[in-house]
Amino acid sequence: MRSALARFAVVTVVAVLAAALLGPVGTPAARAAVEHPRVAVEPVWLGGVRAVVSPATTQVVTVRHTRGHRARVVLWERQAETLGQTSGSGWHRVLQTTDGRIGYGGLVLGHRRRQGSGTTPIGTYRLPWAFGTGPRRPAWGLDYRRIRPGDHWVQDNASRFYNRYRNRSQGGFRWWLPSSDPNSSERLLDYRRQYEFSVVIGFNPGQVRHRGAGIFLHVNGPGATAGCVSVPRALMRELMATLDPEQRPVIAIGPRRARGQRVGR
Protein backbone atom coordinates (compact mmCIF):
# COMPACT_ATOMS: atom_id res chain seq x y z
CA MET A 1 0.00 0.00 0.00
CA ARG A 2 2.75 2.42 0.92
CA SER A 3 4.68 1.75 -2.30
CA ALA A 4 1.53 2.27 -4.36
CA LEU A 5 0.91 5.61 -2.67
CA ALA A 6 4.51 6.59 -3.27
CA ARG A 7 4.22 5.80 -6.98
CA PHE A 8 0.99 7.79 -7.18
CA ALA A 9 2.67 10.77 -5.50
CA VAL A 10 5.59 10.69 -7.95
CA VAL A 11 3.29 10.52 -10.99
CA THR A 12 1.20 13.39 -9.62
CA VAL A 13 4.24 15.61 -9.02
CA VAL A 14 5.61 14.91 -12.51
CA ALA A 15 2.28 15.77 -14.11
CA VAL A 16 1.94 19.02 -12.17
CA LEU A 17 5.50 20.09 -12.97
CA ALA A 18 5.07 19.38 -16.67
CA ALA A 19 1.86 21.37 -16.77
CA ALA A 20 3.48 24.31 -14.99
CA LEU A 21 6.42 24.33 -17.37
CA LEU A 22 4.59 24.08 -20.66
CA GLY A 23 1.31 25.91 -20.31
CA PRO A 24 -1.42 27.15 -17.98
CA VAL A 25 -2.40 24.42 -15.51
CA GLY A 26 -5.09 22.15 -16.96
CA THR A 27 -4.79 23.34 -20.55
CA PRO A 28 -4.63 20.96 -23.54
CA ALA A 29 -1.02 22.02 -24.13
CA ALA A 30 -0.06 21.01 -20.61
CA ARG A 31 -1.94 17.71 -20.78
CA ALA A 32 -0.33 16.84 -24.11
CA ALA A 33 3.11 17.26 -22.57
CA VAL A 34 2.27 14.57 -20.03
CA GLU A 35 0.38 12.22 -22.34
CA HIS A 36 2.74 12.14 -25.32
CA PRO A 37 6.35 10.96 -24.93
CA ARG A 38 9.22 12.76 -26.64
CA VAL A 39 9.62 11.77 -30.30
CA ALA A 40 12.60 11.90 -32.63
CA VAL A 41 13.39 15.29 -34.14
CA GLU A 42 15.47 16.26 -37.16
CA PRO A 43 16.62 19.56 -38.69
CA VAL A 44 14.93 21.10 -41.71
CA TRP A 45 15.94 24.27 -43.58
CA LEU A 46 13.15 26.77 -44.24
CA GLY A 47 13.98 30.11 -45.83
CA GLY A 48 17.59 29.87 -44.71
CA VAL A 49 16.70 29.09 -41.08
CA ARG A 50 17.47 25.76 -39.42
CA ALA A 51 14.42 24.41 -37.61
CA VAL A 52 14.42 21.26 -35.48
CA VAL A 53 11.00 19.65 -35.81
CA SER A 54 9.22 16.40 -35.04
CA PRO A 55 7.24 14.53 -37.68
CA ALA A 56 4.07 15.78 -35.97
CA THR A 57 4.94 19.46 -36.46
CA THR A 58 3.23 21.00 -39.47
CA GLN A 59 3.55 24.72 -38.59
CA VAL A 60 6.85 26.56 -38.23
CA VAL A 61 7.45 30.28 -37.78
CA THR A 62 10.95 31.19 -38.97
CA VAL A 63 12.79 34.34 -37.92
CA ARG A 64 15.79 35.18 -40.09
CA HIS A 65 17.91 38.15 -39.06
CA THR A 66 18.43 40.55 -41.98
CA ARG A 67 20.07 43.74 -40.66
CA GLY A 68 20.23 45.72 -37.43
CA HIS A 69 17.25 44.66 -35.37
CA ARG A 70 15.23 43.66 -38.44
CA ALA A 71 14.18 40.17 -39.45
CA ARG A 72 12.15 38.30 -42.04
CA VAL A 73 9.39 36.36 -40.29
CA VAL A 74 7.56 33.60 -42.18
CA LEU A 75 4.87 31.10 -41.20
CA TRP A 76 5.33 27.77 -42.98
CA GLU A 77 2.96 24.81 -43.18
CA ARG A 78 3.67 21.27 -44.25
CA GLN A 79 1.44 19.61 -46.81
CA ALA A 80 -0.61 16.66 -45.63
CA GLU A 81 0.98 14.17 -48.02
CA THR A 82 4.42 14.78 -46.46
CA LEU A 83 3.38 14.13 -42.85
CA GLY A 84 5.86 11.96 -41.03
CA GLN A 85 8.79 13.36 -43.03
CA THR A 86 11.33 15.86 -41.71
CA SER A 87 12.99 16.79 -45.02
CA GLY A 88 12.62 20.28 -46.46
CA SER A 89 10.12 19.12 -49.10
CA GLY A 90 6.41 19.74 -48.74
CA TRP A 91 6.61 23.05 -46.86
CA HIS A 92 5.02 26.24 -48.21
CA ARG A 93 4.78 29.86 -47.06
CA VAL A 94 1.48 30.95 -45.54
CA LEU A 95 2.27 34.39 -44.05
CA GLN A 96 5.37 36.57 -44.09
CA THR A 97 6.82 40.01 -43.37
CA THR A 98 10.16 41.71 -43.79
CA ASP A 99 9.31 44.05 -40.89
CA GLY A 100 9.98 41.65 -38.06
CA ARG A 101 12.04 42.80 -35.08
CA ILE A 102 14.47 41.13 -32.68
CA GLY A 103 16.27 42.28 -29.53
CA TYR A 104 18.48 45.36 -29.44
CA GLY A 105 21.37 43.11 -28.40
CA GLY A 106 21.09 40.93 -31.51
CA LEU A 107 21.03 37.14 -31.52
CA VAL A 108 22.76 34.68 -29.21
CA LEU A 109 22.69 30.92 -28.75
CA GLY A 110 19.96 30.08 -26.27
CA HIS A 111 22.21 28.46 -23.66
CA ARG A 112 24.48 31.52 -23.68
CA ARG A 113 21.76 34.10 -23.20
CA ARG A 114 21.85 36.32 -20.10
CA GLN A 115 18.94 38.21 -18.57
CA GLY A 116 18.98 41.92 -19.35
CA SER A 117 21.23 41.53 -22.41
CA GLY A 118 18.51 42.48 -24.91
CA THR A 119 19.37 39.43 -26.99
CA THR A 120 17.01 37.08 -28.82
CA PRO A 121 17.80 33.36 -28.40
CA ILE A 122 18.78 31.31 -31.45
CA GLY A 123 17.08 27.93 -31.65
CA THR A 124 13.76 26.16 -32.11
CA TYR A 125 11.10 26.62 -29.43
CA ARG A 126 7.47 25.65 -28.87
CA LEU A 127 4.59 28.11 -29.24
CA PRO A 128 2.34 26.65 -26.53
CA TRP A 129 -0.20 29.36 -25.66
CA ALA A 130 -1.13 33.01 -26.04
CA PHE A 131 -2.19 36.02 -24.01
CA GLY A 132 -3.38 39.54 -24.76
CA THR A 133 -5.33 42.59 -23.69
CA GLY A 134 -8.68 41.71 -25.23
CA PRO A 135 -11.21 38.88 -24.99
CA ARG A 136 -10.55 35.57 -26.68
CA ARG A 137 -11.83 35.36 -30.26
CA PRO A 138 -13.60 32.27 -31.62
CA ALA A 139 -11.09 31.78 -34.45
CA TRP A 140 -8.10 31.40 -32.11
CA GLY A 141 -6.84 27.88 -31.59
CA LEU A 142 -4.12 28.35 -28.96
CA ASP A 143 -4.97 28.40 -25.28
CA TYR A 144 -5.42 32.05 -24.30
CA ARG A 145 -5.24 34.17 -21.16
CA ARG A 146 -6.53 37.73 -21.00
CA ILE A 147 -4.28 40.17 -19.15
CA ARG A 148 -5.77 41.48 -15.90
CA PRO A 149 -4.56 44.26 -13.59
CA GLY A 150 -1.66 42.98 -11.50
CA ASP A 151 -0.54 40.37 -14.02
CA HIS A 152 3.24 40.04 -14.38
CA TRP A 153 5.77 37.88 -16.11
CA VAL A 154 8.10 36.93 -13.26
CA GLN A 155 11.77 37.83 -13.80
CA ASP A 156 12.76 37.71 -10.13
CA ASN A 157 15.68 35.27 -9.95
CA ALA A 158 14.93 34.56 -6.28
CA SER A 159 11.38 33.41 -7.02
CA ARG A 160 10.28 29.81 -7.65
CA PHE A 161 7.90 31.31 -10.22
CA TYR A 162 10.75 32.65 -12.38
CA ASN A 163 9.74 32.77 -16.04
CA ARG A 164 6.07 32.23 -15.22
CA TYR A 165 2.88 34.25 -15.68
CA ARG A 166 1.59 35.31 -12.25
CA ASN A 167 -0.61 37.95 -10.64
CA ARG A 168 0.85 40.00 -7.82
CA SER A 169 -2.12 39.04 -5.59
CA GLN A 170 -0.79 35.46 -5.67
CA GLY A 171 2.54 36.54 -4.19
CA GLY A 172 5.73 34.55 -4.48
CA PHE A 173 7.79 37.22 -6.24
CA ARG A 174 8.94 40.77 -5.54
CA TRP A 175 6.48 42.59 -7.78
CA TRP A 176 7.25 45.93 -6.11
CA LEU A 177 10.85 46.16 -7.33
CA PRO A 178 11.47 49.16 -9.64
CA SER A 179 12.17 48.50 -13.33
CA SER A 180 15.78 49.56 -12.75
CA ASP A 181 16.31 46.52 -10.50
CA PRO A 182 17.70 43.46 -12.35
CA ASN A 183 15.12 41.28 -10.56
CA SER A 184 12.11 43.38 -11.44
CA SER A 185 9.23 41.57 -13.13
CA GLU A 186 7.39 42.75 -16.22
CA ARG A 187 3.98 44.28 -15.54
CA LEU A 188 2.14 43.19 -18.67
CA LEU A 189 -0.35 46.06 -18.89
CA ASP A 190 2.58 48.47 -19.24
CA TYR A 191 2.87 47.18 -22.83
CA ARG A 192 -0.71 47.35 -24.08
CA ARG A 193 0.33 47.99 -27.68
CA GLN A 194 2.87 45.18 -27.93
CA TYR A 195 0.87 42.65 -25.93
CA GLU A 196 -2.49 43.22 -27.58
CA PHE A 197 -1.73 39.89 -29.24
CA SER A 198 1.12 37.81 -27.88
CA VAL A 199 2.24 34.17 -28.12
CA VAL A 200 4.58 32.65 -25.55
CA ILE A 201 7.89 31.37 -26.93
CA GLY A 202 8.92 28.30 -24.94
CA PHE A 203 12.39 29.55 -24.05
CA ASN A 204 13.97 28.48 -20.75
CA PRO A 205 11.10 26.29 -19.50
CA GLY A 206 13.52 24.79 -16.97
CA GLN A 207 13.79 28.18 -15.24
CA VAL A 208 17.58 28.48 -15.40
CA ARG A 209 18.18 31.60 -13.34
CA HIS A 210 19.71 34.66 -15.06
CA ARG A 211 19.21 33.09 -18.50
CA GLY A 212 16.14 35.20 -19.13
CA ALA A 213 12.38 35.18 -18.84
CA GLY A 214 9.44 36.40 -20.87
CA ILE A 215 10.38 35.77 -24.51
CA PHE A 216 7.31 36.27 -26.69
CA LEU A 217 6.10 36.72 -30.26
CA HIS A 218 4.11 39.95 -30.19
CA VAL A 219 3.07 43.16 -31.97
CA ASN A 220 5.77 45.60 -33.10
CA GLY A 221 6.61 48.52 -30.85
CA PRO A 222 8.53 51.63 -31.92
CA GLY A 223 11.86 49.84 -32.40
CA ALA A 224 13.87 46.82 -31.32
CA THR A 225 12.56 44.47 -28.64
CA ALA A 226 14.27 43.54 -25.37
CA GLY A 227 14.72 39.95 -26.60
CA CYS A 228 11.32 39.00 -27.98
CA VAL A 229 10.34 38.64 -31.64
CA SER A 230 7.77 41.11 -32.93
CA VAL A 231 5.83 41.57 -36.16
CA PRO A 232 3.34 44.12 -37.55
CA ARG A 233 -0.07 44.10 -35.86
CA ALA A 234 -1.90 42.86 -38.97
CA LEU A 235 0.36 39.83 -39.25
CA MET A 236 0.11 39.10 -35.53
CA ARG A 237 -3.68 39.05 -35.83
CA GLU A 238 -3.40 36.53 -38.67
CA LEU A 239 -0.99 34.38 -36.68
CA MET A 240 -3.39 34.28 -33.74
CA ALA A 241 -6.09 32.94 -36.06
CA THR A 242 -3.79 30.50 -37.90
CA LEU A 243 -1.59 28.87 -35.26
CA ASP A 244 -3.14 25.54 -34.35
CA PRO A 245 -2.05 23.47 -31.33
CA GLU A 246 -2.95 20.29 -33.23
CA GLN A 247 -0.17 21.17 -35.68
CA ARG A 248 2.42 21.41 -32.90
CA PRO A 249 3.67 24.90 -33.91
CA VAL A 250 7.25 25.96 -33.21
CA ILE A 251 9.36 29.04 -33.87
CA ALA A 252 12.87 28.78 -35.32
CA ILE A 253 15.18 31.77 -34.84
CA GLY A 254 18.42 32.04 -36.79
CA PRO A 255 21.13 34.43 -37.99
CA ARG A 256 21.74 35.76 -41.45
CA ARG A 257 24.00 33.12 -42.94
CA ALA A 258 24.31 30.68 -45.79
CA ARG A 259 22.89 27.19 -45.56
CA GLY A 260 25.41 24.78 -44.11
CA GLN A 261 27.40 27.45 -42.23
CA ARG A 262 27.80 26.39 -38.61
CA VAL A 263 27.18 28.56 -35.57
CA GLY A 264 29.81 28.30 -32.85
CA ARG A 265 28.78 26.57 -29.67
Side-chain angles (χ1 to χ4, degrees), residues 207-233:
Q207 299 176 289
V208 177
R209 300 308 195 269
H210 304 286
R211 182 167 290 176
I215 303 295
F216 313 127
L217 172 62
H218 61 69
V219 177
N220 278 345
T225 73
C228 296
V229 175
S230 69
V231 297
R233 181 177 183 273

PDB file of all heavy atoms in Angstrom, residues 207-233:
ATOM      1  N   GLN A 207      13.588  27.086 -16.196  1.00  0.00           N
ATOM      2  CA  GLN A 207      13.786  28.182 -15.239  1.00  0.00           C
ATOM      3  C   GLN A 207      15.238  28.340 -14.801  1.00  0.00           C
ATOM      4  O   GLN A 207      15.522  28.579 -13.632  1.00  0.00           O
ATOM      5  CB  GLN A 207      12.903  27.978 -14.005  1.00  0.00           C
ATOM      6  CG  GLN A 207      11.415  27.962 -14.277  1.00  0.00           C
ATOM      7  CD  GLN A 207      10.624  27.652 -13.031  1.00  0.00           C
ATOM      8  OE1 GLN A 207      10.632  26.523 -12.536  1.00  0.00           O
ATOM      9  NE2 GLN A 207       9.942  28.655 -12.497  1.00  0.00           N
ATOM     10  N   VAL A 208      16.174  28.221 -15.726  1.00  0.00           N
ATOM     11  CA  VAL A 208      17.581  28.477 -15.403  1.00  0.00           C
ATOM     12  C   VAL A 208      17.714  29.953 -15.048  1.00  0.00           C
ATOM     13  O   VAL A 208      17.429  30.825 -15.873  1.00  0.00           O
ATOM     14  CB  VAL A 208      18.503  28.114 -16.582  1.00  0.00           C
ATOM     15  CG1 VAL A 208      19.957  28.469 -16.252  1.00  0.00           C
ATOM     16  CG2 VAL A 208      18.366  26.649 -16.929  1.00  0.00           C
ATOM     17  N   ARG A 209      18.121  30.228 -13.819  1.00  0.00           N
ATOM     18  CA  ARG A 209      18.177  31.604 -13.344  1.00  0.00           C
ATOM     19  C   ARG A 209      19.224  32.413 -14.123  1.00  0.00           C
ATOM     20  O   ARG A 209      20.266  31.904 -14.508  1.00  0.00           O
ATOM     21  CB  ARG A 209      18.479  31.657 -11.850  1.00  0.00           C
ATOM     22  CG  ARG A 209      17.445  30.940 -10.969  1.00  0.00           C
ATOM     23  CD  ARG A 209      16.012  31.407 -11.258  1.00  0.00           C
ATOM     24  NE  ARG A 209      15.057  31.016 -10.240  1.00  0.00           N
ATOM     25  CZ  ARG A 209      14.353  29.885 -10.251  1.00  0.00           C
ATOM     26  NH1 ARG A 209      14.525  29.014 -11.229  1.00  0.00           N
ATOM     27  NH2 ARG A 209      13.487  29.609  -9.295  1.00  0.00           N
ATOM     28  N   HIS A 210      18.876  33.677 -14.359  1.00  0.00           N
ATOM     29  CA  HIS A 210      19.713  34.657 -15.057  1.00  0.00           C
ATOM     30  C   HIS A 210      19.849  34.376 -16.554  1.00  0.00           C
ATOM     31  O   HIS A 210      20.537  35.111 -17.250  1.00  0.00           O
ATOM     32  CB  HIS A 210      21.114  34.756 -14.424  1.00  0.00           C
ATOM     33  CG  HIS A 210      21.081  35.084 -12.968  1.00  0.00           C
ATOM     34  ND1 HIS A 210      20.783  36.356 -12.500  1.00  0.00           N
ATOM     35  CD2 HIS A 210      21.286  34.307 -11.871  1.00  0.00           C
ATOM     36  CE1 HIS A 210      20.817  36.349 -11.181  1.00  0.00           C
ATOM     37  NE2 HIS A 210      21.110  35.118 -10.776  1.00  0.00           N
ATOM     38  N   ARG A 211      19.181  33.341 -17.054  1.00  0.00           N
ATOM     39  CA  ARG A 211      19.210  33.091 -18.503  1.00  0.00           C
ATOM     40  C   ARG A 211      18.188  33.957 -19.220  1.00  0.00           C
ATOM     41  O   ARG A 211      18.355  34.282 -20.390  1.00  0.00           O
ATOM     42  CB  ARG A 211      18.972  31.609 -18.799  1.00  0.00           C
ATOM     43  CG  ARG A 211      19.031  31.262 -20.286  1.00  0.00           C
ATOM     44  CD  ARG A 211      19.101  29.776 -20.524  1.00  0.00           C
ATOM     45  NE  ARG A 211      20.405  29.264 -20.102  1.00  0.00           N
ATOM     46  CZ  ARG A 211      20.746  27.987 -20.111  1.00  0.00           C
ATOM     47  NH1 ARG A 211      19.858  27.084 -20.504  1.00  0.00           N
ATOM     48  NH2 ARG A 211      21.944  27.601 -19.722  1.00  0.00           N
ATOM     49  N   GLY A 212      17.139  34.323 -18.527  1.00  0.00           N
ATOM     50  CA  GLY A 212      16.141  35.195 -19.127  1.00  0.00           C
ATOM     51  C   GLY A 212      14.741  34.633 -19.026  1.00  0.00           C
ATOM     52  O   GLY A 212      14.530  33.423 -18.951  1.00  0.00           O
ATOM     53  N   ALA A 213      13.774  35.547 -19.001  1.00  0.00           N
ATOM     54  CA  ALA A 213      12.376  35.177 -18.841  1.00  0.00           C
ATOM     55  C   ALA A 213      11.514  36.089 -19.703  1.00  0.00           C
ATOM     56  O   ALA A 213      11.877  37.229 -19.986  1.00  0.00           O
ATOM     57  CB  ALA A 213      11.968  35.309 -17.369  1.00  0.00           C
ATOM     58  N   GLY A 214      10.373  35.573 -20.119  1.00  0.00           N
ATOM     59  CA  GLY A 214       9.440  36.402 -20.868  1.00  0.00           C
ATOM     60  C   GLY A 214       9.880  36.681 -22.291  1.00  0.00           C
ATOM     61  O   GLY A 214      10.043  37.829 -22.682  1.00  0.00           O
ATOM     62  N   ILE A 215      10.063  35.619 -23.084  1.00  0.00           N
ATOM     63  CA  ILE A 215      10.378  35.766 -24.507  1.00  0.00           C
ATOM     64  C   ILE A 215       9.109  35.432 -25.275  1.00  0.00           C
ATOM     65  O   ILE A 215       8.604  34.310 -25.194  1.00  0.00           O
ATOM     66  CB  ILE A 215      11.541  34.843 -24.932  1.00  0.00           C
ATOM     67  CG1 ILE A 215      12.784  35.132 -24.085  1.00  0.00           C
ATOM     68  CG2 ILE A 215      11.842  35.021 -26.415  1.00  0.00           C
ATOM     69  CD1 ILE A 215      13.368  36.521 -24.275  1.00  0.00           C
ATOM     70  N   PHE A 216       8.597  36.409 -26.026  1.00  0.00           N
ATOM     71  CA  PHE A 216       7.308  36.267 -26.686  1.00  0.00           C
ATOM     72  C   PHE A 216       7.403  36.605 -28.178  1.00  0.00           C
ATOM     73  O   PHE A 216       8.370  37.213 -28.638  1.00  0.00           O
ATOM     74  CB  PHE A 216       6.270  37.203 -26.052  1.00  0.00           C
ATOM     75  CG  PHE A 216       6.230  37.180 -24.556  1.00  0.00           C
ATOM     76  CD1 PHE A 216       6.341  38.364 -23.825  1.00  0.00           C
ATOM     77  CD2 PHE A 216       6.069  35.986 -23.869  1.00  0.00           C
ATOM     78  CE1 PHE A 216       6.300  38.353 -22.441  1.00  0.00           C
ATOM     79  CE2 PHE A 216       6.032  35.964 -22.475  1.00  0.00           C
ATOM     80  CZ  PHE A 216       6.151  37.149 -21.761  1.00  0.00           C
ATOM     81  N   LEU A 217       6.353  36.255 -28.899  1.00  0.00           N
ATOM     82  CA  LEU A 217       6.098  36.720 -30.258  1.00  0.00           C
ATOM     83  C   LEU A 217       4.929  37.678 -30.146  1.00  0.00           C
ATOM     84  O   LEU A 217       3.825  37.271 -29.739  1.00  0.00           O
ATOM     85  CB  LEU A 217       5.756  35.533 -31.160  1.00  0.00           C
ATOM     86  CG  LEU A 217       5.281  35.827 -32.590  1.00  0.00           C
ATOM     87  CD1 LEU A 217       6.348  36.553 -33.394  1.00  0.00           C
ATOM     88  CD2 LEU A 217       4.869  34.524 -33.286  1.00  0.00           C
ATOM     89  N   HIS A 218       5.143  38.962 -30.459  1.00  0.00           N
ATOM     90  CA  HIS A 218       4.107  39.954 -30.192  1.00  0.00           C
ATOM     91  C   HIS A 218       4.092  41.058 -31.246  1.00  0.00           C
ATOM     92  O   HIS A 218       4.860  41.029 -32.224  1.00  0.00           O
ATOM     93  CB  HIS A 218       4.281  40.543 -28.791  1.00  0.00           C
ATOM     94  CG  HIS A 218       5.578  41.267 -28.554  1.00  0.00           C
ATOM     95  ND1 HIS A 218       5.896  42.466 -29.158  1.00  0.00           N
ATOM     96  CD2 HIS A 218       6.648  40.967 -27.759  1.00  0.00           C
ATOM     97  CE1 HIS A 218       7.080  42.875 -28.744  1.00  0.00           C
ATOM     98  NE2 HIS A 218       7.568  41.971 -27.903  1.00  0.00           N
ATOM     99  N   VAL A 219       3.243  42.050 -31.040  1.00  0.00           N
ATOM    100  CA  VAL A 219       3.071  43.165 -31.972  1.00  0.00           C
ATOM    101  C   VAL A 219       4.270  44.113 -31.902  1.00  0.00           C
ATOM    102  O   VAL A 219       4.812  44.359 -30.815  1.00  0.00           O
ATOM    103  CB  VAL A 219       1.770  43.928 -31.648  1.00  0.00           C
ATOM    104  CG1 VAL A 219       1.604  45.142 -32.573  1.00  0.00           C
ATOM    105  CG2 VAL A 219       0.561  43.002 -31.765  1.00  0.00           C
ATOM    106  N   ASN A 220       4.658  44.643 -33.054  1.00  0.00           N
ATOM    107  CA  ASN A 220       5.774  45.597 -33.095  1.00  0.00           C
ATOM    108  C   ASN A 220       5.533  46.796 -32.196  1.00  0.00           C
ATOM    109  O   ASN A 220       4.417  47.326 -32.121  1.00  0.00           O
ATOM    110  CB  ASN A 220       5.979  46.128 -34.518  1.00  0.00           C
ATOM    111  CG  ASN A 220       6.786  45.196 -35.396  1.00  0.00           C
ATOM    112  OD1 ASN A 220       7.442  44.278 -34.918  1.00  0.00           O
ATOM    113  ND2 ASN A 220       6.757  45.435 -36.705  1.00  0.00           N
ATOM    114  N   GLY A 221       6.592  47.243 -31.553  1.00  0.00           N
ATOM    115  CA  GLY A 221       6.613  48.517 -30.852  1.00  0.00           C
ATOM    116  C   GLY A 221       7.331  49.530 -31.724  1.00  0.00           C
ATOM    117  O   GLY A 221       7.458  49.356 -32.940  1.00  0.00           O
ATOM    118  N   PRO A 222       7.869  50.592 -31.127  1.00  0.00           N
ATOM    119  CA  PRO A 222       8.530  51.628 -31.920  1.00  0.00           C
ATOM    120  C   PRO A 222       9.891  51.233 -32.476  1.00  0.00           C
ATOM    121  O   PRO A 222      10.399  51.885 -33.386  1.00  0.00           O
ATOM    122  CB  PRO A 222       8.657  52.796 -30.934  1.00  0.00           C
ATOM    123  CG  PRO A 222       8.667  52.145 -29.580  1.00  0.00           C
ATOM    124  CD  PRO A 222       7.754  50.972 -29.705  1.00  0.00           C
ATOM    125  N   GLY A 223      10.519  50.201 -31.942  1.00  0.00           N
ATOM    126  CA  GLY A 223      11.861  49.837 -32.404  1.00  0.00           C
ATOM    127  C   GLY A 223      12.182  48.401 -32.083  1.00  0.00           C
ATOM    128  O   GLY A 223      11.321  47.513 -32.192  1.00  0.00           O
ATOM    129  N   ALA A 224      13.437  48.170 -31.685  1.00  0.00           N
ATOM    130  CA  ALA A 224      13.868  46.820 -31.324  1.00  0.00           C
ATOM    131  C   ALA A 224      13.133  46.348 -30.078  1.00  0.00           C
ATOM    132  O   ALA A 224      12.582  47.142 -29.306  1.00  0.00           O
ATOM    133  CB  ALA A 224      15.373  46.805 -31.082  1.00  0.00           C
ATOM    134  N   THR A 225      13.140  45.037 -29.865  1.00  0.00           N
ATOM    135  CA  THR A 225      12.564  44.472 -28.644  1.00  0.00           C
ATOM    136  C   THR A 225      13.664  44.341 -27.584  1.00  0.00           C
ATOM    137  O   THR A 225      14.824  44.653 -27.839  1.00  0.00           O
ATOM    138  CB  THR A 225      11.937  43.095 -28.906  1.00  0.00           C
ATOM    139  OG1 THR A 225      12.996  42.134 -29.094  1.00  0.00           O
ATOM    140  CG2 THR A 225      11.038  43.113 -30.136  1.00  0.00           C
ATOM    141  N   ALA A 226      13.285  43.818 -26.434  1.00  0.00           N
ATOM    142  CA  ALA A 226      14.266  43.545 -25.372  1.00  0.00           C
ATOM    143  C   ALA A 226      14.694  42.077 -25.381  1.00  0.00           C
ATOM    144  O   ALA A 226      15.303  41.604 -24.426  1.00  0.00           O
ATOM    145  CB  ALA A 226      13.683  43.909 -24.017  1.00  0.00           C
ATOM    146  N   GLY A 227      14.369  41.363 -26.466  1.00  0.00           N
ATOM    147  CA  GLY A 227      14.722  39.955 -26.595  1.00  0.00           C
ATOM    148  C   GLY A 227      13.642  39.134 -27.267  1.00  0.00           C
ATOM    149  O   GLY A 227      13.887  38.016 -27.730  1.00  0.00           O
ATOM    150  N   CYS A 228      12.436  39.683 -27.331  1.00  0.00           N
ATOM    151  CA  CYS A 228      11.325  39.004 -27.983  1.00  0.00           C
ATOM    152  C   CYS A 228      11.462  39.085 -29.507  1.00  0.00           C
ATOM    153  O   CYS A 228      12.377  39.709 -30.035  1.00  0.00           O
ATOM    154  CB  CYS A 228      10.004  39.647 -27.569  1.00  0.00           C
ATOM    155  SG  CYS A 228       9.604  39.501 -25.813  1.00  0.00           S
ATOM    156  N   VAL A 229      10.519  38.475 -30.203  1.00  0.00           N
ATOM    157  CA  VAL A 229      10.340  38.644 -31.641  1.00  0.00           C
ATOM    158  C   VAL A 229       9.026  39.380 -31.835  1.00  0.00           C
ATOM    159  O   VAL A 229       8.022  39.042 -31.197  1.00  0.00           O
ATOM    160  CB  VAL A 229      10.281  37.286 -32.366  1.00  0.00           C
ATOM    161  CG1 VAL A 229       9.960  37.477 -33.842  1.00  0.00           C
ATOM    162  CG2 VAL A 229      11.594  36.526 -32.197  1.00  0.00           C
ATOM    163  N   SER A 230       9.021  40.393 -32.681  1.00  0.00           N
ATOM    164  CA  SER A 230       7.775  41.114 -32.925  1.00  0.00           C
ATOM    165  C   SER A 230       7.534  41.258 -34.422  1.00  0.00           C
ATOM    166  O   SER A 230       8.456  41.178 -35.234  1.00  0.00           O
ATOM    167  CB  SER A 230       7.793  42.492 -32.251  1.00  0.00           C
ATOM    168  OG  SER A 230       8.718  43.363 -32.880  1.00  0.00           O
ATOM    169  N   VAL A 231       6.259  41.445 -34.764  1.00  0.00           N
ATOM    170  CA  VAL A 231       5.831  41.572 -36.157  1.00  0.00           C
ATOM    171  C   VAL A 231       4.750  42.652 -36.235  1.00  0.00           C
ATOM    172  O   VAL A 231       4.182  43.037 -35.205  1.00  0.00           O
ATOM    173  CB  VAL A 231       5.280  40.238 -36.698  1.00  0.00           C
ATOM    174  CG1 VAL A 231       6.357  39.159 -36.719  1.00  0.00           C
ATOM    175  CG2 VAL A 231       4.073  39.756 -35.895  1.00  0.00           C
ATOM    176  N   PRO A 232       4.427  43.147 -37.433  1.00  0.00           N
ATOM    177  CA  PRO A 232       3.343  44.123 -37.547  1.00  0.00           C
ATOM    178  C   PRO A 232       2.018  43.583 -36.992  1.00  0.00           C
ATOM    179  O   PRO A 232       1.753  42.374 -37.017  1.00  0.00           O
ATOM    180  CB  PRO A 232       3.254  44.350 -39.058  1.00  0.00           C
ATOM    181  CG  PRO A 232       4.627  44.061 -39.571  1.00  0.00           C
ATOM    182  CD  PRO A 232       5.111  42.921 -38.723  1.00  0.00           C
ATOM    183  N   ARG A 233       1.189  44.490 -36.516  1.00  0.00           N
ATOM    184  CA  ARG A 233      -0.071  44.104 -35.863  1.00  0.00           C
ATOM    185  C   ARG A 233      -0.944  43.240 -36.772  1.00  0.00           C
ATOM    186  O   ARG A 233      -1.533  42.259 -36.329  1.00  0.00           O
ATOM    187  CB  ARG A 233      -0.829  45.367 -35.447  1.00  0.00           C
ATOM    188  CG  ARG A 233      -2.149  45.082 -34.731  1.00  0.00           C
ATOM    189  CD  ARG A 233      -2.815  46.381 -34.285  1.00  0.00           C
ATOM    190  NE  ARG A 233      -4.037  46.129 -33.533  1.00  0.00           N
ATOM    191  CZ  ARG A 233      -5.229  45.973 -34.082  1.00  0.00           C
ATOM    192  NH1 ARG A 233      -5.363  46.040 -35.423  1.00  0.00           N
ATOM    193  NH2 ARG A 233      -6.304  45.758 -33.335  1.00  0.00           N
TER     194      ARG A 233
END
